[in-house]
RNA sequence: GCCCCUGUGGCGGAAUUGGUAGACGCGACAGACUCAAAAUCUGUUGUCCUUAGGGCGUGCCUGUUCGAGUCAGGCCAGGGGCACCA
């Protein structure tokens, strides 16, 4: 018998779909639309299992929705700007564009081999001027509406390579290539005013009811709305007060010091003639720019010698410190320290011998403070007029008093900062601005868009190639026509991915988007991607859709109506003797069974199981899997083994099981087609008992699989299909018309249910079943309700919560009768023994619990 | 450090959302077919008590409940994000 040949069959159906343009769609107001989108990939060179998982999930949804009669938009593109292309240019001497387009070509072939229902006619790449030119247009529109501005902000500076480093390029405070200690440096940078939308971005999370709760929670915490107070402290001997922000004004009587940021104007002024402060500020600037680095550093400070007056305790003064844990970007860049009720303040106070006065007493607990600050609720003590109040009441009262005195006010603060989009790199979208000595910073004229990247660049010098290009930046000012220079910074690649979903609606339009198209297709109905994008990418995209509304490009606030965050695909990490990351295929076992580097035979260290990432090289090439077992088996495997929202560790064993199922289903249809009735035969009047049961099983499966796919529980859908396959295998036909008909029905149903996951095999089987239509144009099966309900149920009988028997009763049987049957069981009687029955709980159709 | 998530057999996981823990798959073991292997098929497979029948069992500890994998509180372990990786 011929075995199923995945390779030829898959190629055959891919050709058919391409020829029939099965997945190319146009906006059509007479049809209900459904927009399925998976996060587009970075063209790193080859697809990895994470992509296979992500795109298979999206494909199942897309094919399922199409079978449900929706007009489905399912596009694909490339997040093609970014650092790795420049690294390749430096390391291998390849031009970033050549490297990127070669990678795209290879990965496109790989994706096509997966048989995804993508509309390839809508493919876009963000590094193409046809894309980024429109991004520049959007930037200019945003600039005109005041959504973009320029501000000095901090970057990681490598003093040896004379270049700006990304956070991931800073390892233990040192540059990854030079090894030099990284400094913070201030540069003029372009910013988006995302913080203007803090409140809206926060409040609108409520409406995103098809987003995972955890993502909404993460965004909520990220935006970080806090209700607090601004308080001004009089600095002794100074005219201007010190403004602070606090979320705990109720602890003001426990204040023992003030702390200001190293970047606070007061600090900068004092540093001029105080070497100790100057040195300390310099030390702070040697810390990285990441919040993690700042939080993990030892809490340190330096006394400025200044003192402030306590607003409520006459004669009491507090010393002012410059401290490394106070952020200039948050609040006012200055705080009061209340060590008893804030851990950082406590660490700091212990280090510098500052006083620790508890002012909140937890109920029935000793307010003695050791090494742990008390941050819980309680009653206020040691605080004059606040004594005896609960924390919340005390906050309100002290703000009222401060307002009376004109020394403070209630203030809502957000943690969310404006989005710095400037990057000092070549391989990104040029910022279309021009600096003129006379006119200042001017937007480029629209007719000059796109501002294209120059091709002739070199990466042999440190710094930004655009900056040392001989001619590119020298232009005439669009205002006065005089000599001027182009902005040489390019945009953060998050900008590219903040509107690509809108561009897909009209990917070849000569403006960023066409209104009718985005009005029809947006928002994305189901967006699928990694949880690692839970905050930044999704938040930036939400901001972008608001900004595009302000500039008239669309009318939606929220770009993604439904979001699904798939778990990451993880894999062990490997390092060579020298500490370099190694790909799994570079690693193997030697004769002695030790893990070694295959080329050199040198030992390999196994690291943790971590998210697959380019930088750690712990990636698996799925090409080999597809080559060996076919795309259908690979798709089936990534869906079957783990719940889609959880992390999945790649193992080779699972793929074999999927492959076996492909064979089993194919063989079953092949061997049983003769035993089934002809295609489109009319339904007979009578069914033998076994056929009735098969039909019940089939229709229950349809109902469950439909529900599972709706909820994206693909692993459960597959388990149900396996169960039905087992039922089909167990079916004994008696040769009657009813049996033949039920067998065909079962076979057709399983082929339909399997189709979104294994589309090639399903098409092939559909044809074998005698159909001359193709499955991608076939409607999803409907479960017959009457066949999905049973008239009998099995109920569990517990005595004192322990299972003692199971009983079979009629569906929705009266509680009294159920009790009788339950108590009649011998094992139940044994368990009850001499005890008296106190109560019997009957949960209909589920369980009986006899309480003794 | 801060925020979020996860923890169930040898393994991936299921559990009608508080109601029979371990569906389905992988692996393993035994058998059938075969000269043999592969493939396929059948059966067994949480654990302990030699069996009948029971005991124990969802990271750990406490609690709520007739009943807890599921809810609450406290721990432990692993993972993700922390604003210039994408």
């Amino acid at each position: 018998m011929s075995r199923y040949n995945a390779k030829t069959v898959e190629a055959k159906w891919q050709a058919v779909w391409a020829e029939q343009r099965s997945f190319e769609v146009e906006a059509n107001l007479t049809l209900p639309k459904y927009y399925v989108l998976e996060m587009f990939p970075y063209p790193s060179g080859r697809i990895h299992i994470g992509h296979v998982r992500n795109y298979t999930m999206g494909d199942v949804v897309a094919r399922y929705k199409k079978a449900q009669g929706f007009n489905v938009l399912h596009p694909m593109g490339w997040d093609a700007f970014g650092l790795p292309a420049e690294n390749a240019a430096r390391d291998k001497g390849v031009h970033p564009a050549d490297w990127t387009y070669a990678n795209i070509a290879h990965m496109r072939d790989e994706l096509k081999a997966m048989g995804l229902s993508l509309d390839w006619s809508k493919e876009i790449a963000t590094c193409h001027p046809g894309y980024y030119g429109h991004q520049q247009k959007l930037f200019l529109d945003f600039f005109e509406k005041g959504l973009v501005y320029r501000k000095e902000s901090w970057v990681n500076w490598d003093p040896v390579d004379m270049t700006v480093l990304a956070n991931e390029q800073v390892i233990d405070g040192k540059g990854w290539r030079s090894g030099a200690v990284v400094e913070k440096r201030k540069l003029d940078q372009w910013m988006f005013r995302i913080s203007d939308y803090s409140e809206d971005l926060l409040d609108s999370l409520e409406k995103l009811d098809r987003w995972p709760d955890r993502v909404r929670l993460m965004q909520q915490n990220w935006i970080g709305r806090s209700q607090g107070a601004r308080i001004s402290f009089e600095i002794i001997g100074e005219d201007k007060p010190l403004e602070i922000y606090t979320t705990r004004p109720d602890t003001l009587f426990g204040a023992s010091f003030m702390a200001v940021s190293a970047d606070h104007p007061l600090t900068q002024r004092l540093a001029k003639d105080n070497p100790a402060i100057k040195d300390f500020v310099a030390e702070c600037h040697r810390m990285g720019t990441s919040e993690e680095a700042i939080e993990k550093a030892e809490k340190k400070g330096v006394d400025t010698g200044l003192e402030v007056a306590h607003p409520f305790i006459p004669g009491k003064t507090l010393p002012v410190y410059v401290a490394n844990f106070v952020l200039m970007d948050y609040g006012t860049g200055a705080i009061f320290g209340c060590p008893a009720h804030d851990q950082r303040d406590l660490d700091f106070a212990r280090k510098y011998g500052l006083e620790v006065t508890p002012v909140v007493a937890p109920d029935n607990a000793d307010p003695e403070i050791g090494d742990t600050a008390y941050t819980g609720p309680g009653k206020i003590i040691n605080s004059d007029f606040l004594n005896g109040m609960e924390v919340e009441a005390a906050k309100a009262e002290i703000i009222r008093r401060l307002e009376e005195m004109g020394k403070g006010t209630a203030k809502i603060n957000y943690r969310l900062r404006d989005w710095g989009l400037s990057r000092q790199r070549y391989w990104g979208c040029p910022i279309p601005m021009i600096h003129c000595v006379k006119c200042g910073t001017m937007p480029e004229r629209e007719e000059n868009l796109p501002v294209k990247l120059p091709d002739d660049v070199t990466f042999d010098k440190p710094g930004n190639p655009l900056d040392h290009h001989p001619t590119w930046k020298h232009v005439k000012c669009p205002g006065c026509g005089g000599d001027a220079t182009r902005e040489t910074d390019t945009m953060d690649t998050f900008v590219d991915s903040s509107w690509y979903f809108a561009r897909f609606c009209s990917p070849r339009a000569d403006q960023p988007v066409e209104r009718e198209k985005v009005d029809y297709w947006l928002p994305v109905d189901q967006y699928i991607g990694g949880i690692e994008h839970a905050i930044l990418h999704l938040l930036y995209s939400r901001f972008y859709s608001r900004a595009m509304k302000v500039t008239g490009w669309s009318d939606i606030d929220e770009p993604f109506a439904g979001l699904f965050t798939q778990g990451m695909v993880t894999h062990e990490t490997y390092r060579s003797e020298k500490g370099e990351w190694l790909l799994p295929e570079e690693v193997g076992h030697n004769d002695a069974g030790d893990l070694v580097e295959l080329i050199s035979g040198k030992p390999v260290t196994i690291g943790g199981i971590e998210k697959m990432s380019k930088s750690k090289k712990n990636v698996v090439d799925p090409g080999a899997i597809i080559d060996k077992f076919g795309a259908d088996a690979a798709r089936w495997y990534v869906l079957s083994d783990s719940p889609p929202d959880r992390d999945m560790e790649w193992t080779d064993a699972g793929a074999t099981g999927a492959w076996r199922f492909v064979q089993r289903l194919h063989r079953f249809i092949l061997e049983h087609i003769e035993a089934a009735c002809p295609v489109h035969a009319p339904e007979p009047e009578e069914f033998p008992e076994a056929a009735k049961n098969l039909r019940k099983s089939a229709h229950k499966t349809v109902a469950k699989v439909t529900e599972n796919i709706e909820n994206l529980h693909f692993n459960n859908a597959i388990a149900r299909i396996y169960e039905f396959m087992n039922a089909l295998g167990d079916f004994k036909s008696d040769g009657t018309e009813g049996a033949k008909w039920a067998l065909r029905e079962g076979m057709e149903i399983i082929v339909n249910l399997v189709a979104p996951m294994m589309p090639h095999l399903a098409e092939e089987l559909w044809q074998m079943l005698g159909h001359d239509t193709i499955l991608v144009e076939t409607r999803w099966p409907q479960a017959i309700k009457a066949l999905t309900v049973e008239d009998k149920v099995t109920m569990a009988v517990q005595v004192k919560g322990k299972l003692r028997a199971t009983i079979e009763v009629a569906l929705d049987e009266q509680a009294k009768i159920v009790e009788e049957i339950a108590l009649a069981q011998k094992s139940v009687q044994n368990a009850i023994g001499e005890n008296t029955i106190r109560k019997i709980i009957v949960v209909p159709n589920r369980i009986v619990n006899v309480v003794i």
Side-chain angles (χ1 to χ4, degrees), chain A residues 11 13 39 50 54 75 132 192 240 257 264 296 317 450 467 471-472 513 517 567 607 649 685 704 795 813 822:
Chain A
W13 290 106
M39 290 180 185
N54 192 180
Y132 71 68
F192 284 126
K240 275 173 76 182
F257 66 96
H264 195 278
K296 274 187 176 164
T317 59
D467 205 26
T471 55
W472 185 77
V513 295
K517 300 286 173 62
E649 202 203 337
E685 303 271 318
K704 283 178 189 160
M795 289 180 71
E813 183 61 275

Side-chain angles (χ1 to χ4, degrees), chain A residues 48-271:
Chain A
H48 58 70
I49 288 297
H51 292 130
V52 174
R53 197 179 185 209
N54 192 180
Y55 301 136
T56 302
M57 288 180 195
D59 200 45
V60 173
V61 175
R63 286 176 179 271
Y64 166 76
K65 286 290 174 183
K66 183 170 163 62
Q68 293 273 30
F70 288 91
N71 190 27
V72 174
L73 175 60
H74 187 208
M76 182 52 71
W78 309 96
D79 190 9
F81 276 136
L83 269 182
E86 291 195 36
N87 293 335
R90 274 191 63 155
D91 296 345
K92 297 174 196 156
V94 202
H95 193 279
D98 296 339
W99 185 83
T100 304
Y101 283 114
N103 286 349
I104 287 174
H106 185 241
M107 288 174 75
R108 186 194 296 118
D109 286 346
E110 290 183 304
L111 289 184
K112 284 191 170 173
M114 281 181 64
L116 303 167
S117 63
L118 292 166
D119 182 352
W120 282 105
S121 74
K122 295 191 168 55
E123 181 184 0
I124 57 178
T126 58
C127 66
H128 193 279
Y131 183 81
Y132 71 68
H134 299 296
Q135 185 163 307
Q136 292 167 339
K137 165 66 178 154
L138 289 178
F139 180 92
L140 293 179
D141 286 2
F142 291 3
F143 178 75
E144 204 180 298
K145 291 281 177 190
L147 293 165
V148 189
Y149 67 102
R150 228 155 115 84
K151 183 189 148 186
E152 277 201 314
S153 57
W154 296 99
V155 293
N156 296 307
W157 180 255
D158 185 321
V160 170
D161 276 352
M162 305 283 281
T163 189
V164 176
L165 297 179
N167 278 338
E168 76 155 11
Q169 296 174 321
V170 180
I171 295 154
D172 299 328
K174 298 186 179 112
W176 67 339
R177 289 185 202 273
S178 69
V181 173
V182 170
E183 299 166 1
K184 279 206 274 190
R185 208 176 241 223
K186 237 180 190 177
L187 290 182
D188 265 334
Q189 310 239 37
W190 289 99
M191 314 288 287
F192 284 126
R193 287 195 195 278
I194 187 172
S195 69
D196 281 6
Y197 291 82
S198 299
E199 195 180 346
D200 182 20
L201 288 168
L202 182 66
D203 293 345
S204 302
L205 285 172
E206 251 176 71
K207 290 180 255 167
L208 296 173
D209 57 349
R210 287 179 51 229
W211 279 41
D213 287 340
R214 62 169 161 160
V215 173
R216 290 195 281 175
L217 193 56
M218 283 161 87
Q219 292 218 349
Q220 185 184 316
N221 290 331
W222 186 261
I223 296 168
R225 179 189 155 104
S226 67
Q227 190 120 30
R230 269 181 95 127
I231 306 175
S232 14
F233 286 79
E234 179 198 333
I235 307 177
I236 312 286
E238 300 251 342
D239 302 335
K240 275 173 76 182
L242 181 60
E243 291 274 349
I244 65 100
Y245 176 77
T246 179
T247 56
R248 291 299 303 272
D250 54 303
T251 63
L252 185 54
F253 284 91
S256 64
F257 66 96
M258 309 298 291
V260 296
S261 162
D263 303 319
H264 195 278
L266 179 68
T267 312
Q268 291 179 343
R269 198 190 81 208
L270 294 170

Side-chain angles (χ1 to χ4, degrees), chain A residues 2 45 65 88 108 117 146 153 189 195 245 300 340 353 357 512 561 585 627 689 697 705 723 726 780 793 842:
Chain A
S2 68
K65 286 290 174 183
R108 186 194 296 118
S117 63
S153 57
Q189 310 239 37
S195 69
Y245 176 77
K300 280 198 219 170
T357 312
E585 62 251 37
D627 219 41
E689 197 57 27
S697 175
V705 170
E723 277 173 352
N726 292 341
W780 191 249
V793 289
V842 178

Side-chain angles (χ1 to χ4, degrees), chain A residues 473-773:
Chain A
K473 70 176 172 185
H474 301 293
V475 288
K476 297 295 176 198
C477 170
C480 65
D483 285 345
T485 52
R486 251 188 217 303
E487 172 66 63
T488 58
D489 283 355
T490 52
M491 296 187 203
D492 179 7
T493 56
F494 272 125
V495 180
D496 311 339
S497 55
S498 290
W499 71 286
Y500 77 108
F501 49 87
R503 181 71 186 165
F504 274 137
C505 302
S506 49
R508 308 287 174 257
D510 55 10
Q511 49 185 339
V513 295
E514 282 169 20
R515 259 311 279 273
E516 330 74 89
K517 300 286 173 62
V518 293
D519 285 351
Y520 175 74
W521 288 114
L522 291 181
V524 174
D525 295 281
Q526 187 63 63
Y527 195 34
I528 305 177
I531 182 72
E532 67 272 26
H533 294 292
I535 297 175
L536 293 179
H537 162 59
L538 292 170
L539 196 62
Y540 290 158
S541 297
R542 295 181 64 215
F543 162 72
Y544 239 74
S545 59
R546 283 160 174 77
M548 284 176 77
K549 190 176 178 180
V550 169
T551 48
W553 289 108
S554 95
D555 195 35
I556 53 150
D557 290 313
E558 292 296 341
F560 312 120
L563 172 70
F564 185 82
T565 50
Q566 57 159 1
M568 280 165 291
V569 180
T570 60
H571 201 277
E572 278 179 330
T573 52
Y574 309 104
R575 276 186 198 252
S576 70
E577 222 175 19
K578 287 186 212 153
E580 288 159 340
W581 299 106
L582 295 171
L583 291 164
E585 62 251 37
E586 294 176 319
V587 173
H589 293 275
N590 64 8
D591 296 339
D594 302 318
L595 209 59
V596 293
E597 204 175 336
L598 288 174
I599 315 169
S600 62
K602 286 179 179 163
V604 165
T605 337
I606 303 177
I609 294 168
E610 290 184 62
K611 177 185 101 164
M612 286 191 181
S613 74
K614 292 178 285 294
S615 56
K616 289 182 181 163
K617 288 194 172 181
N618 56 336
V619 289
V620 171
D621 176 21
I625 310 293
I626 293 175
D627 219 41
K628 193 169 167 195
F629 299 114
D632 285 334
R635 294 165 57 117
W636 188 256
Y637 169 57
V638 293
L639 294 171
S640 67
D641 239 31
S642 298
D645 54 345
R646 285 247 281 276
D647 288 355
M648 157 183 182
E649 202 203 337
W650 175 260
T651 62
D652 291 336
T656 322
W659 168 240
R660 273 210 290 262
F661 181 70
V662 170
Q663 292 297 338
R664 185 180 169 199
L665 181 57
H666 178 258
R667 198 173 48 241
F668 183 85
I669 305 279
L670 200 64
E671 288 174 0
H672 292 80
I673 187 72
E674 295 302 327
C677 68
V679 67
H680 304 309
E683 183 177 339
E685 303 271 318
E686 294 281 320
F687 289 100
E689 197 57 27
K692 273 187 202 161
N693 287 334
L694 184 68
R695 296 199 67 204
K696 276 185 182 175
S697 175
H699 285 271
K700 278 185 195 167
T701 306
V702 170
K704 283 178 189 160
V705 170
T706 304
E707 190 191 326
N708 287 149
I709 292 180
E710 285 284 346
N711 298 325
L712 310 175
H713 293 158
F714 308 115
N715 56 325
N716 293 357
I718 285 179
R720 300 290 84 80
I721 291 171
Y722 271 121
E723 277 173 352
F724 183 56
M725 184 72 239
N726 292 341
L728 268 177
D730 291 342
F731 176 64
K732 301 269 187 294
S733 175
D734 59 3
T736 58
E737 284 311 303
K740 286 180 170 179
W741 199 89
L743 181 61
R744 166 167 288 275
E745 184 188 38
M747 292 195 292
E748 296 203 346
I749 280 177
I750 200 167
V751 167
N752 270 282
L753 296 184
V754 139
M757 300 147 189
M758 302 204 281
H760 314 87
L761 173 66
E763 289 285 9
E764 186 70 10
L765 297 177
W766 193 243
Q767 199 178 47
M768 280 165 57
L769 283 166
H771 291 275
D772 48 17
T773 54

